[in-house]
């Protein structure tokens, strides 16, 4: 399952540093990036939760942190829907929790669960902390 992630920045002039930053995170061609900035249009960044989900998540979070540090105003779009930064981060957290739940459930079904899976099955656990 892939989930398209995009940003809207602008309209603004395509400042060189901002274009370079966006280019490092997005696979869009330079012309698409500059046009999106100039018109204030959506700029596709990547697909979340796909084959390269860890790498994409890191790139997106790094990009958002850098945009915030530059005090650049942006809007986050997930599957074409406008989301707040808080909701977006909650979405990522819940995705990781579901993956953990599936992992623990699989261990239990295979018949030789770890202590962690047994704690999970009783509800006496905490989700692993993400590095970010």
């Amino acid at each position: 399952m892939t989930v398209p992630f995009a940003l809207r920045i602008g309209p603004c002039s395509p400042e060189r540093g901002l274009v370079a930053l966006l280019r490092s995170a997005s696979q869009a061609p330079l012309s698409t990036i500059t046009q999106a900035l100039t018109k204030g249009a959506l700029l596709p960044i990547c697909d979340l939760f796909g084959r390269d989900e860890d790498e994409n998540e890191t790139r997106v979070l790094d990009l958002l942190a850098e945009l915030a540090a530059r005090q650049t105003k942006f809007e986050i779009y997930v599957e074409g829907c406008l989301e707040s930064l808080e909701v977006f981060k909650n979405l990522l957290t819940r995705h990781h929790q579901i993956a953990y739940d599936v992992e623990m459930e699989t261990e239990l079904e295979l018949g030789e669960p770890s202590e962690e899976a047994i704690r999970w099955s009783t509800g006496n656990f905490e989700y692993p902390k993400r590095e970010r």
Side-chain angles (χ1 to χ4, degrees), residues 14-58:
E15 181 259 319
R16 200 177 201 162
L18 179 58
V19 171
L21 175 65
L22 293 170
R23 201 147 184 222
S24 70
S26 175
Q27 296 174 349
L30 179 59
S31 60
T32 301
I33 293 171
T34 55
Q35 189 174 40
L37 289 173
T38 304
K39 294 181 177 183
L42 285 182
L43 174 63
I45 301 296
C46 65
D47 286 330
L48 298 173
F49 313 140
R51 221 176 355 168
D52 302 322
E53 70 182 57
D54 291 336
E55 180 184 319
N56 288 347
E57 181 179 325
T58 299

Short mmCIF file of all heavy atoms in Angstrom, two decimals, residues 14-58:
data_model
loop_
_atom_site.label_atom_id
_atom_site.label_comp_id
_atom_site.label_asym_id
_atom_site.label_seq_id
_atom_site.Cartn_x
_atom_site.Cartn_y
_atom_site.Cartn_z
N PRO A 14 10.97 30.88 -6.71
CA PRO A 14 11.73 29.65 -6.47
C PRO A 14 13.18 29.95 -6.06
O PRO A 14 14.10 29.85 -6.86
CB PRO A 14 11.63 28.90 -7.79
CG PRO A 14 11.31 29.93 -8.81
CD PRO A 14 10.62 31.05 -8.11
N GLU A 15 13.36 30.30 -4.81
CA GLU A 15 14.69 30.61 -4.27
C GLU A 15 15.58 29.36 -4.39
O GLU A 15 15.14 28.24 -4.16
CB GLU A 15 14.51 31.06 -2.81
CG GLU A 15 15.77 31.44 -2.10
CD GLU A 15 16.25 30.34 -1.19
OE1 GLU A 15 15.44 29.71 -0.51
OE2 GLU A 15 17.47 30.09 -1.20
N ARG A 16 16.81 29.59 -4.75
CA ARG A 16 17.74 28.51 -5.08
C ARG A 16 17.89 27.47 -3.98
O ARG A 16 17.86 26.26 -4.24
CB ARG A 16 19.10 29.16 -5.38
CG ARG A 16 20.00 28.32 -6.16
CD ARG A 16 21.26 29.10 -6.46
NE ARG A 16 21.90 28.49 -7.59
CZ ARG A 16 22.79 29.06 -8.32
NH1 ARG A 16 23.16 30.29 -8.07
NH2 ARG A 16 23.32 28.43 -9.32
N GLY A 17 18.06 27.90 -2.73
CA GLY A 17 18.24 26.96 -1.62
C GLY A 17 17.00 26.12 -1.38
O GLY A 17 17.08 24.92 -1.08
N LEU A 18 15.83 26.74 -1.50
CA LEU A 18 14.58 26.02 -1.31
C LEU A 18 14.38 24.99 -2.42
O LEU A 18 13.99 23.84 -2.17
CB LEU A 18 13.40 27.00 -1.27
CG LEU A 18 12.02 26.41 -1.09
CD1 LEU A 18 11.93 25.59 0.20
CD2 LEU A 18 10.97 27.52 -1.09
N VAL A 19 14.68 25.37 -3.64
CA VAL A 19 14.56 24.44 -4.77
C VAL A 19 15.50 23.25 -4.57
O VAL A 19 15.10 22.10 -4.76
CB VAL A 19 14.85 25.15 -6.12
CG1 VAL A 19 14.96 24.15 -7.25
CG2 VAL A 19 13.77 26.19 -6.41
N ALA A 20 16.72 23.51 -4.15
CA ALA A 20 17.68 22.43 -3.92
C ALA A 20 17.19 21.49 -2.81
O ALA A 20 17.30 20.26 -2.92
CB ALA A 20 19.05 23.00 -3.56
N LEU A 21 16.64 22.07 -1.75
CA LEU A 21 16.11 21.26 -0.65
C LEU A 21 14.97 20.37 -1.13
O LEU A 21 14.95 19.17 -0.86
CB LEU A 21 15.63 22.18 0.48
CG LEU A 21 14.93 21.50 1.65
CD1 LEU A 21 15.91 20.59 2.39
CD2 LEU A 21 14.35 22.55 2.59
N LEU A 22 14.04 20.94 -1.87
CA LEU A 22 12.91 20.17 -2.38
C LEU A 22 13.35 19.11 -3.38
O LEU A 22 12.83 18.00 -3.41
CB LEU A 22 11.88 21.10 -3.01
CG LEU A 22 11.16 22.02 -2.03
CD1 LEU A 22 10.34 23.06 -2.76
CD2 LEU A 22 10.31 21.23 -1.06
N ARG A 23 14.35 19.45 -4.15
CA ARG A 23 14.86 18.50 -5.15
C ARG A 23 15.51 17.29 -4.48
O ARG A 23 15.46 16.17 -4.99
CB ARG A 23 15.87 19.21 -6.04
CG ARG A 23 16.03 18.48 -7.32
CD ARG A 23 16.30 19.39 -8.47
NE ARG A 23 16.33 18.53 -9.64
CZ ARG A 23 17.19 18.62 -10.59
NH1 ARG A 23 18.08 19.57 -10.59
NH2 ARG A 23 17.16 17.79 -11.60
N SER A 24 16.12 17.52 -3.30
CA SER A 24 16.75 16.41 -2.59
C SER A 24 15.71 15.45 -2.01
O SER A 24 16.02 14.29 -1.75
CB SER A 24 17.66 16.93 -1.47
OG SER A 24 16.88 17.49 -0.42
N ALA A 25 14.48 15.93 -1.81
CA ALA A 25 13.44 15.09 -1.22
C ALA A 25 12.46 14.55 -2.25
O ALA A 25 11.87 13.49 -2.05
CB ALA A 25 12.68 15.88 -0.16
N SER A 26 12.26 15.27 -3.33
CA SER A 26 11.26 14.89 -4.33
C SER A 26 11.93 14.33 -5.57
O SER A 26 13.03 14.73 -5.94
CB SER A 26 10.45 16.14 -4.72
OG SER A 26 9.56 15.83 -5.77
N GLN A 27 11.23 13.43 -6.22
CA GLN A 27 11.74 12.89 -7.48
C GLN A 27 11.20 13.68 -8.67
O GLN A 27 11.45 13.32 -9.81
CB GLN A 27 11.38 11.41 -7.60
CG GLN A 27 12.05 10.57 -6.53
CD GLN A 27 11.58 9.12 -6.56
OE1 GLN A 27 10.62 8.77 -7.24
NE2 GLN A 27 12.28 8.28 -5.82
N ALA A 28 10.48 14.76 -8.37
CA ALA A 28 9.91 15.59 -9.44
C ALA A 28 11.03 16.32 -10.17
O ALA A 28 12.04 16.70 -9.57
CB ALA A 28 8.94 16.60 -8.85
N PRO A 29 10.85 16.55 -11.46
CA PRO A 29 11.86 17.31 -12.21
C PRO A 29 11.91 18.77 -11.73
O PRO A 29 10.96 19.29 -11.15
CB PRO A 29 11.39 17.23 -13.66
CG PRO A 29 10.05 16.60 -13.65
CD PRO A 29 9.77 16.06 -12.30
N LEU A 30 13.02 19.40 -12.02
CA LEU A 30 13.25 20.78 -11.61
C LEU A 30 12.12 21.70 -12.08
O LEU A 30 11.64 22.54 -11.33
CB LEU A 30 14.60 21.27 -12.16
CG LEU A 30 14.99 22.70 -11.84
CD1 LEU A 30 15.06 22.93 -10.34
CD2 LEU A 30 16.32 23.04 -12.49
N SER A 31 11.67 21.52 -13.31
CA SER A 31 10.61 22.38 -13.84
C SER A 31 9.32 22.24 -13.03
O SER A 31 8.61 23.22 -12.80
CB SER A 31 10.35 22.07 -15.31
OG SER A 31 9.94 20.72 -15.47
N THR A 32 9.01 21.04 -12.58
CA THR A 32 7.80 20.81 -11.77
C THR A 32 7.94 21.50 -10.42
O THR A 32 6.98 22.11 -9.92
CB THR A 32 7.56 19.30 -11.58
OG1 THR A 32 7.42 18.69 -12.86
CG2 THR A 32 6.34 19.03 -10.73
N ILE A 33 9.13 21.43 -9.83
CA ILE A 33 9.36 22.06 -8.53
C ILE A 33 9.23 23.58 -8.64
O ILE A 33 8.51 24.20 -7.85
CB ILE A 33 10.75 21.67 -7.98
CG1 ILE A 33 10.78 20.17 -7.64
CG2 ILE A 33 11.10 22.50 -6.74
CD1 ILE A 33 12.14 19.61 -7.31
N THR A 34 9.89 24.17 -9.62
CA THR A 34 9.83 25.63 -9.76
C THR A 34 8.41 26.08 -10.11
O THR A 34 7.94 27.09 -9.59
CB THR A 34 10.83 26.16 -10.80
OG1 THR A 34 10.61 25.50 -12.05
CG2 THR A 34 12.26 25.93 -10.35
N GLN A 35 7.72 25.33 -10.92
CA GLN A 35 6.34 25.68 -11.28
C GLN A 35 5.42 25.57 -10.06
O GLN A 35 4.56 26.43 -9.86
CB GLN A 35 5.86 24.76 -12.40
CG GLN A 35 4.54 25.17 -12.99
CD GLN A 35 4.19 24.30 -14.18
OE1 GLN A 35 4.42 23.10 -14.19
NE2 GLN A 35 3.64 24.93 -15.21
N ALA A 36 5.59 24.53 -9.26
CA ALA A 36 4.77 24.37 -8.05
C ALA A 36 5.00 25.52 -7.08
O ALA A 36 4.05 26.03 -6.48
CB ALA A 36 5.09 23.03 -7.38
N LEU A 37 6.25 25.95 -6.94
CA LEU A 37 6.55 27.07 -6.05
C LEU A 37 5.94 28.37 -6.58
O LEU A 37 5.33 29.13 -5.83
CB LEU A 37 8.06 27.23 -5.87
CG LEU A 37 8.74 26.14 -5.04
CD1 LEU A 37 10.26 26.32 -5.08
CD2 LEU A 37 8.24 26.14 -3.61
N THR A 38 6.12 28.62 -7.85
CA THR A 38 5.63 29.85 -8.47
C THR A 38 4.12 29.95 -8.40
O THR A 38 3.57 31.02 -8.11
CB THR A 38 6.10 29.92 -9.94
OG1 THR A 38 7.53 29.81 -9.97
CG2 THR A 38 5.68 31.23 -10.58
N LYS A 39 3.43 28.83 -8.64
CA LYS A 39 1.97 28.84 -8.68
C LYS A 39 1.31 28.48 -7.35
O LYS A 39 0.10 28.58 -7.21
CB LYS A 39 1.47 27.87 -9.75
CG LYS A 39 1.84 28.29 -11.15
CD LYS A 39 1.31 27.31 -12.15
CE LYS A 39 1.62 27.79 -13.56
NZ LYS A 39 1.05 26.89 -14.56
N GLY A 40 2.11 28.00 -6.39
CA GLY A 40 1.53 27.54 -5.13
C GLY A 40 0.76 26.25 -5.31
O GLY A 40 -0.23 25.99 -4.63
N ALA A 41 1.22 25.41 -6.23
CA ALA A 41 0.56 24.14 -6.54
C ALA A 41 1.13 23.01 -5.68
O ALA A 41 2.19 23.16 -5.06
CB ALA A 41 0.75 23.81 -8.02
N LEU A 42 0.43 21.90 -5.67
CA LEU A 42 0.92 20.73 -4.95
C LEU A 42 2.19 20.20 -5.61
O LEU A 42 2.27 20.11 -6.83
CB LEU A 42 -0.12 19.62 -4.93
CG LEU A 42 -1.30 19.78 -4.01
CD1 LEU A 42 -2.20 18.56 -4.10
CD2 LEU A 42 -0.87 20.00 -2.58
N LEU A 43 3.15 19.85 -4.78
CA LEU A 43 4.40 19.26 -5.25
C LEU A 43 4.49 17.84 -4.70
O LEU A 43 4.61 17.65 -3.49
CB LEU A 43 5.60 20.07 -4.78
CG LEU A 43 6.97 19.47 -5.09
CD1 LEU A 43 7.19 19.36 -6.59
CD2 LEU A 43 8.07 20.29 -4.45
N PRO A 44 4.41 16.83 -5.57
CA PRO A 44 4.55 15.45 -5.07
C PRO A 44 5.97 15.22 -4.54
O PRO A 44 6.95 15.59 -5.19
CB PRO A 44 4.28 14.60 -6.30
CG PRO A 44 4.21 15.50 -7.47
CD PRO A 44 4.22 16.91 -7.00
N ILE A 45 6.03 14.64 -3.37
CA ILE A 45 7.34 14.37 -2.76
C ILE A 45 7.68 12.89 -2.88
O ILE A 45 8.72 12.53 -3.41
CB ILE A 45 7.36 14.81 -1.27
CG1 ILE A 45 7.05 16.30 -1.14
CG2 ILE A 45 8.71 14.46 -0.63
CD1 ILE A 45 8.05 17.24 -1.77
N CYS A 46 6.83 12.02 -2.36
CA CYS A 46 7.11 10.58 -2.42
C CYS A 46 5.86 9.81 -2.03
O CYS A 46 4.85 10.39 -1.64
CB CYS A 46 8.27 10.22 -1.50
SG CYS A 46 7.92 10.48 0.25
N ASP A 47 5.96 8.49 -2.11
CA ASP A 47 4.91 7.62 -1.60
C ASP A 47 5.34 7.11 -0.23
O ASP A 47 6.46 6.63 -0.07
CB ASP A 47 4.69 6.42 -2.52
CG ASP A 47 3.96 6.79 -3.79
OD1 ASP A 47 3.15 7.74 -3.75
OD2 ASP A 47 4.19 6.13 -4.82
N LEU A 48 4.45 7.25 0.73
CA LEU A 48 4.71 6.72 2.06
C LEU A 48 4.23 5.28 2.12
O LEU A 48 3.34 4.88 1.38
CB LEU A 48 3.96 7.54 3.11
CG LEU A 48 4.36 9.02 3.20
CD1 LEU A 48 3.42 9.74 4.15
CD2 LEU A 48 5.79 9.16 3.67
N PHE A 49 4.81 4.51 2.99
CA PHE A 49 4.37 3.15 3.30
C PHE A 49 4.55 2.18 2.15
O PHE A 49 3.87 1.17 2.09
CB PHE A 49 2.92 3.12 3.79
CG PHE A 49 2.60 4.14 4.83
CD1 PHE A 49 1.41 4.83 4.80
CD2 PHE A 49 3.49 4.44 5.82
CE1 PHE A 49 1.10 5.78 5.75
CE2 PHE A 49 3.21 5.40 6.78
CZ PHE A 49 2.00 6.06 6.75
N GLY A 50 5.43 2.47 1.25
CA GLY A 50 5.69 1.55 0.14
C GLY A 50 6.95 0.75 0.40
O GLY A 50 7.37 0.54 1.54
N ARG A 51 7.57 0.35 -0.67
CA ARG A 51 8.78 -0.46 -0.60
C ARG A 51 9.90 0.25 0.16
O ARG A 51 10.62 -0.36 0.93
CB ARG A 51 9.25 -0.75 -2.03
CG ARG A 51 9.72 -2.10 -2.26
CD ARG A 51 10.06 -2.32 -3.70
NE ARG A 51 9.73 -1.16 -4.52
CZ ARG A 51 10.12 -0.98 -5.75
NH1 ARG A 51 10.84 -1.89 -6.32
NH2 ARG A 51 9.79 0.08 -6.43
N ASP A 52 10.04 1.55 -0.07
CA ASP A 52 11.13 2.32 0.56
C ASP A 52 10.61 3.17 1.71
O ASP A 52 11.06 4.28 1.92
CB ASP A 52 11.78 3.23 -0.49
CG ASP A 52 12.32 2.46 -1.67
OD1 ASP A 52 12.85 1.36 -1.44
OD2 ASP A 52 12.19 2.94 -2.80
N GLU A 53 9.68 2.64 2.48
CA GLU A 53 8.99 3.47 3.47
C GLU A 53 9.91 4.08 4.51
O GLU A 53 9.73 5.24 4.88
CB GLU A 53 7.83 2.73 4.12
CG GLU A 53 8.22 1.62 5.06
CD GLU A 53 7.00 0.92 5.62
OE1 GLU A 53 6.17 0.43 4.85
OE2 GLU A 53 6.89 0.88 6.85
N ASP A 54 10.89 3.35 5.01
CA ASP A 54 11.78 3.91 6.03
C ASP A 54 12.58 5.08 5.48
O ASP A 54 12.70 6.13 6.10
CB ASP A 54 12.71 2.84 6.60
CG ASP A 54 11.98 1.81 7.44
OD1 ASP A 54 10.89 2.15 7.96
OD2 ASP A 54 12.46 0.68 7.56
N GLU A 55 13.13 4.88 4.29
CA GLU A 55 13.91 5.94 3.65
C GLU A 55 13.03 7.16 3.33
O GLU A 55 13.41 8.29 3.57
CB GLU A 55 14.55 5.40 2.36
CG GLU A 55 15.37 6.42 1.61
CD GLU A 55 15.90 5.84 0.31
OE1 GLU A 55 16.34 4.68 0.31
OE2 GLU A 55 15.88 6.58 -0.69
N ASN A 56 11.85 6.91 2.80
CA ASN A 56 10.94 8.00 2.45
C ASN A 56 10.49 8.76 3.69
O ASN A 56 10.42 9.99 3.69
CB ASN A 56 9.73 7.48 1.68
CG ASN A 56 10.09 7.06 0.28
OD1 ASN A 56 11.16 7.37 -0.22
ND2 ASN A 56 9.19 6.35 -0.36
N GLU A 57 10.18 8.04 4.75
CA GLU A 57 9.75 8.69 5.99
C GLU A 57 10.87 9.58 6.54
O GLU A 57 10.62 10.72 6.94
CB GLU A 57 9.36 7.64 7.03
CG GLU A 57 8.89 8.26 8.32
CD GLU A 57 8.47 7.23 9.35
OE1 GLU A 57 7.93 6.16 8.98
OE2 GLU A 57 8.69 7.50 10.54
N THR A 58 12.07 9.09 6.51
CA THR A 58 13.21 9.89 6.98
C THR A 58 13.38 11.13 6.13
O THR A 58 13.55 12.24 6.66
CB THR A 58 14.51 9.04 6.95
OG1 THR A 58 14.33 7.92 7.83
CG2 THR A 58 15.71 9.84 7.40
#
